[in-house]
Amino acid sequence: MMRKTFFSRSTRATLYLVAYSGVAALMATLPDARAEDAGLVEKGRYIATAADCFACHTSPGGKPFAGGYPITTPVGTIYSTNITPAPKTGIGNYTKAEFFDAVRRGVGHGNKRLYPAMPYTSYAGVTDSDMEALYAFFNSAVAPVEQENKPDTVRFPFNIRSGLVLWNWLYLDTRPFQAQPRETPQITHGRYLVNHLEHCGTCHTPRTIFMGPASKRYLAGSSVGAWYAPNITTDKVAGIADWTDDDLRNYLKTGHALNKGQAAGPMAEVVTNSTQFLTSNDVNAMIAYLREVPAVASDEKRSRTSYGAADRPEDAARGQASPEDRGWKIFSGSCASCHQAEGQGINAYPSLTHNSTTGSPNARNLVATILTGVERRSGDNSVFMPAFGSGALWVNRLSDQDIADLSNFILKTFGNPSVQVDASYVAKQRAALTP
């Protein structure tokens, strides 16, 4: 038996029209939800760029954010995970709370502990609003890729992930980010970028024997595989006190600071994927904060950018039947055409004098650059130096002894002559390089 209706058809139609008009009028007073969502996604894209998620979660030649990038550590190789919204192998089934915990606490799906090669100790300070934007970006703007994660090759006992509970107790600070007393808004924002989103300390702060950050030597420089992330504190000798604001600005935006340094290896990836896209206000905030970082000294007696050319540059040995320095021959045949006879560089090829790589207290970055070359992009400009290591064309490939001889010639001619290497050192650095 049908329920009796109290309104005629025409009356019901009138009521529906009134109700619809009321809802339409109400919606007209609200912001466009789709536009708001789009704005949140674009904010998330910027946050993901500042956090440089692409660099580690995209393998060479792989799909964006699908993982598989090898991260070499003293305890073994850790492979980055798939963070696309794929439901089976990615983060497509992560709730917002689970996503927040993975990024800021290092706890993945199913309560699985993440290794701190994922810099969650830095991301712990990312604000809720930025996390909301990240979640929106990864779920709405990243293409899902079903790709299984590669198993890590971490040695015992570090492969027991439950031990990370103790490690997190020692090193994970979960307090929300907030301004500090007597800190300007610009410096507060710069501290947020440097310490958290850009996670500079992950590479530039040395590690303890438990692989935690040595807080008393914050940003004082540290080895990163075959590379060295230098001291970026305000120390006048070991740090960046002699870098002007324009030097730092150019370096972060282009990877090149005249008579100071050039980004290669992991830092070239940071410039290519992250810092070049930061707004001017964000870059200036980072610089303002770095000017406030306490100085941390080292054993260096002289600034790494202060070394000029020696008395006998490359062209001094030309015409000799058998020059006594074997490194000169290699430099003359492989390097001088771009870096010039006196190491002064030309066009996009940097000077080898007044260069933080050749004036460094160690030869890590010099050897690694020779082995792997340089590939860096900023805007429409590309910087390229061919590799001379195992991945080079056979006509460019140099042996460990060749690279040792070449490095020693460069160091004593254009850089820090107190640093010298041998073939075994080059072999060790070659083995430590991430493919």
Side-chain angles (χ1 to χ4, degrees), residues 54-378:
F54 182 90
C56 286
H57 286 278
T58 306
S59 61
K63 298 291 182 63
F65 303 110
Y69 185 91
I71 301 170
T72 304
T73 76
V75 299
T77 300
I78 298 169
Y79 292 91
S80 64
T81 55
N82 184 340
I83 58 171
T84 73
K88 294 181 180 179
T89 58
I91 60 171
N93 289 328
Y94 274 52
T95 65
K96 187 182 293 185
E98 288 174 330
F99 180 80
F100 280 31
D101 280 345
V103 174
R104 298 197 298 194
R105 303 291 184 268
V107 181
H109 218 348
N111 208 35
K112 183 179 180 180
R113 298 282 169 173
L114 305 181
Y115 287 115
M118 154 64 176
Y120 61 82
T121 51
S122 295
Y123 295 156
V126 176
T127 63
D128 287 345
S129 62
D130 282 354
M131 288 299 303
E132 293 272 359
L134 270 179
Y135 185 72
F137 167 70
F138 278 107
N139 280 282
S140 303
V142 174
V145 179
E146 290 291 2
Q147 176 176 294
E148 293 288 344
N149 292 313
K150 292 185 177 181
D152 303 319
T153 60
V154 177
R155 299 188 300 274
F156 179 83
F158 303 101
N159 61 338
I160 302 174
R161 292 181 184 245
S162 58
L164 288 167
V165 174
L166 175 60
W167 192 93
N168 288 344
W169 179 78
L170 290 171
Y171 298 112
L172 177 60
D173 184 355
T174 59
R175 290 175 296 180
F177 177 82
Q178 57 186 2
Q180 294 181 350
R182 298 181 298 278
E183 192 176 56
T184 68
Q186 184 186 46
I187 292 174
T188 297
H189 186 54
R191 180 166 58 87
Y192 178 67
L193 289 165
V194 170
N195 290 0
H196 301 296
L197 283 185
E198 287 288 347
H199 57 280
C200 303
T202 301
C203 290
H204 289 273
T205 299
R207 299 273 166 171
T208 67
I209 59 172
F210 299 113
M211 299 306 297
S215 57
K216 291 183 179 180
R217 295 190 59 77
Y218 172 64
L219 299 183
S222 179
S223 297
V224 185
W227 298 88
Y228 188 78
N231 187 325
I232 56 173
T233 73
T234 52
D235 187 75
K236 294 181 179 180
V237 176
I240 55 172
D242 63 339
W243 291 52
T244 67
D245 285 1
D246 281 341
D247 289 334
L248 293 171
R249 192 174 294 111
N250 290 336
Y251 188 83
L252 291 171
K253 296 294 285 186
T254 71
H256 172 75
L258 183 64
N259 291 330
K260 288 296 188 293
Q262 297 78 39
M267 192 62 204
E269 291 182 348
V270 172
V271 172
T272 297
N273 297 314
S274 180
T275 56
Q276 69 159 311
F277 299 108
L278 296 181
T279 65
S280 295
N281 286 341
D282 282 355
V283 170
N284 291 338
M286 290 178 67
I287 294 170
Y289 171 65
L290 288 172
R291 296 297 188 203
E292 299 295 313
V293 173
V296 180
S298 69
D299 295 333
E300 297 173 60
K301 305 300 182 186
R302 182 174 170 181
S303 166
R304 59 184 182 270
T305 61
S306 65
Y307 292 90
D311 296 333
R312 289 177 59 80
E314 184 269 343
D315 54 357
R318 292 179 185 175
Q320 296 182 19
S322 56
E324 56 188 48
D325 193 331
R326 184 172 180 271
W328 171 86
K329 292 183 179 180
I330 302 169
F331 180 86
S332 185
S334 299
C335 311
S337 59
C338 294
H339 292 286
Q340 302 296 287
E342 297 183 4
Q344 72 270 33
I346 187 172
N347 298 327
Y349 300 103
S351 170
L352 298 177
T353 63
H354 303 290
N355 186 312
S356 59
T357 296
T358 60
S360 173
N362 66 71
R364 280 178 175 268
N365 289 348
L366 175 60
V367 170
T369 300
I370 295 171
L371 284 166
T372 64
V374 176
E375 188 173 354
R376 186 179 72 237
R377 295 182 303 279
S378 59

Side-chain angles (χ1 to χ4, degrees), residues 31-46:
D32 187 339
R34 286 174 298 180
E36 183 178 339
D37 289 346
L40 188 64
V41 169
E42 285 309 304
K43 177 184 176 182
R45 189 189 306 277
Y46 184 82

